[in-house]
Amino acid sequence: GAVVSQHPSRVICKSGTSVKIECRSLDFQATTMFWYRQFPKQSLMLMATSNEGSKATYEQGVEKDKFLINHASLTLSTLTVTSAHPEDSSFYICSANDRGNEQFFGPGTRLTVL
Amino acid sequence: KQEVTQIPAALSVPEGENLVLNCSFTDSAIYNLQWFRQDPGKGLTSLLLIQSSQREQTSGRLNASLDKSSGRSTLYIAASQPGDSATYLCAVSTVETSGSRLTFGEGTQLTVNP
């Protein structure tokens, strides 16, 4: 099956620093990737849809200047949390669309901001 | 706006029991429906995907049904085992210009007691 990787799997940083998370589709090309956030004991909430070569589409209430998304190639999308604060601590999960419109999920990145 | 509801929120059963998890969605214009499993602190594992034209899918001890017109799906787990303990998420897919979009339910936290 299609495999999606995320790096890093876990990151701890100080308040005010920026953190970059990578999402890669390993064995297929993904024209669209999605970024989700999951707070403890809650479900996944879509943050943004990332299309290769164009600007990401953000969900209502998600600050595009804080969560920078770059989808520079058909196998890589990055999410940068700029000037991270403790309230940004969460589990960030990406997914990628294959041609059949099925989404394949990465293993997630646990962000802890001190 | 699509809304997905899962009942019950939590379920505890003795090992060996058969059980049913429920999922309902408000907009029947879906592309497909997926059931996922999530272990604590981990990413998502896709269990079953049902296309909108299908009524059910089976994999081992798992059977998922879909009644699109009534906006319902069930996940049936036969002969439950302690290893089945996890959170089960239902997600419906709609197709938009940017690609498929998944809307998740809040999940059912299942505990199977030995």
Side-chain angles (χ1 to χ4, degrees), chain A residues 23-78:
Chain A
C23 176
R24 293 181 186 272
S25 57
L26 298 185
D27 50 2
F28 66 100
Q29 293 184 331
T31 54
T32 305
M33 290 184 171
F34 301 83
W35 287 95
Y36 296 84
R37 180 167 55 184
Q38 185 180 33
F39 291 108
K41 298 192 182 298
Q42 294 186 24
S43 193
L44 279 73
M45 296 299 295
L46 180 65
M47 298 175 65
T49 302
S50 167
N51 291 295
E52 187 265 338
S54 63
K55 290 184 179 180
T57 303
Y58 290 82
E59 295 298 299
Q60 193 172 9
V62 178
E63 300 174 55
K64 63 180 181 181
D65 294 330
K66 181 168 184 62
F67 298 99
L68 300 179
I69 292 173
N70 184 285
H71 192 162
S73 77
L74 287 172
T75 59
L76 173 64
S77 176
T78 60

Side-chain angles (χ1 to χ4, degrees), chain A residues 32 34 38 43 59 97 101, chain B residues 38 42 98 100-101 104-105:
Chain A
T32 305
F34 301 83
Q38 185 180 33
S43 193
E59 295 298 299
N97 249 135
N101 273 323
Chain B
Q38 186 176 32
K42 303 293 185 183
S98 58
S100 72
R101 177 196 179 98
F104 283 85

Side-chain angles (χ1 to χ4, degrees), chain B residues 26-102:
Chain B
T26 55
D27 186 349
S28 62
I30 65 169
Y31 184 71
N32 60 46
L33 182 145
Q34 281 184 267
W35 283 93
F36 295 90
R37 170 189 172 133
Q38 186 176 32
D39 292 287
K42 303 293 185 183
L44 302 183
T45 300
S46 180
L47 299 174
L48 290 165
L49 181 149
I50 312 177
Q51 300 291 352
S52 62
S53 59
Q54 297 175 321
R55 302 281 291 186
E56 67 176 341
Q57 283 285 336
T58 298
S59 175
R61 294 182 294 109
L62 305 179
N63 176 277
S65 68
L66 172 64
D67 185 341
K68 201 173 83 159
S69 61
S70 67
R72 290 188 222 168
S73 175
T74 61
L75 178 67
Y76 175 82
I77 302 177
S80 59
Q81 302 171 358
D84 294 331
S85 298
T87 296
Y88 290 80
L89 294 166
C90 165
V92 297
S93 172
T94 53
V95 177
E96 302 177 4
T97 52
S98 58
S100 72
R101 177 196 179 98
L102 281 179

